[in-house]
Amino acid sequence: MQRENLARFRLTRVLALERVRAAAQDSANLRWTAHIRQRMEERGIDDSDVLRIVRTGHVDEDPIEGKTKGEWKIKLTRKLSNGRVAGVVTALLVNGQLRLLTTEWEDHR
């Protein structure tokens, strides 16, 4: 079999959203990094905000291939109850878990 005839897999926004939401339903699948904890504290974004974003947010940009084969970096956004839009960048790991990388305000007030 010739390798050049193989199509390269590209994770779509729709499929990324399905996979992230499925993984995020079980908190045991979430891996909180020290970096996201620091950014949450700096920006006044709490655990419930992050969970709300990964469980019900939207993927507005195409996922980016991660450093490890089969992993994808995905940014989810959602308008929160305070009227501001926040984002969470997560890595969808090969084992179906999510590594929560960072969070930020999208509306830059």
Side-chain angles (χ1 to χ4, degrees), residues 84-103:
R84 295 194 69 188
V85 177
V88 171
V89 177
T90 183
L92 178 61
L93 307 179
V94 176
N95 63 7
Q97 294 180 335
L98 300 175
R99 184 181 311 121
L100 304 174
L101 303 173
T102 195
T103 188

Side-chain angles (χ1 to χ4, degrees), residues 31-45:
R31 301 291 174 251
W32 300 76
T33 63
H35 183 80
I36 196 170
R37 291 288 188 193
Q38 291 170 341
R39 295 301 175 257
M40 288 167 62
E41 186 175 331
E42 288 173 9
R43 296 171 178 148
I45 298 172

Side-chain angles (χ1 to χ4, degrees), residues 19-38:
R19 290 183 179 181
V20 167
R21 285 193 177 161
Q25 293 311 307
D26 183 352
S27 296
N29 290 327
L30 305 178
R31 301 291 174 251
W32 300 76
T33 63
H35 183 80
I36 196 170
R37 291 288 188 193
Q38 291 170 341

Side-chain angles (χ1 to χ4, degrees), residues 2-99:
Q2 295 179 334
R3 286 194 152 316
E4 59 270 1
N5 291 337
L6 295 177
R8 189 169 178 174
F9 176 75
R10 182 86 192 138
L11 185 64
T12 66
R13 284 183 250 179
V14 172
L15 188 53
L17 183 59
E18 289 175 11
R19 290 183 179 181
V20 167
R21 285 193 177 161
Q25 293 311 307
D26 183 352
S27 296
N29 290 327
L30 305 178
R31 301 291 174 251
W32 300 76
T33 63
H35 183 80
I36 196 170
R37 291 288 188 193
Q38 291 170 341
R39 295 301 175 257
M40 288 167 62
E41 186 175 331
E42 288 173 9
R43 296 171 178 148
I45 298 172
D46 62 27
D47 290 10
S48 63
D49 293 330
V50 171
L51 290 174
R52 191 171 298 111
I53 294 165
V54 297
R55 290 179 175 159
T56 64
H58 303 281
V59 177
D60 299 320
E61 301 170 5
D62 290 333
I64 299 169
E65 288 184 78
K67 294 178 184 177
T68 303
K69 185 178 179 180
E71 293 182 359
W72 293 88
K73 191 185 291 186
I74 301 158
K75 183 177 185 179
L76 296 111
T77 60
R78 187 181 194 289
K79 188 173 188 177
L80 300 177
S81 59
N82 64 4
R84 295 194 69 188
V85 177
V88 171
V89 177
T90 183
L92 178 61
L93 307 179
V94 176
N95 63 7
Q97 294 180 335
L98 300 175
R99 184 181 311 121

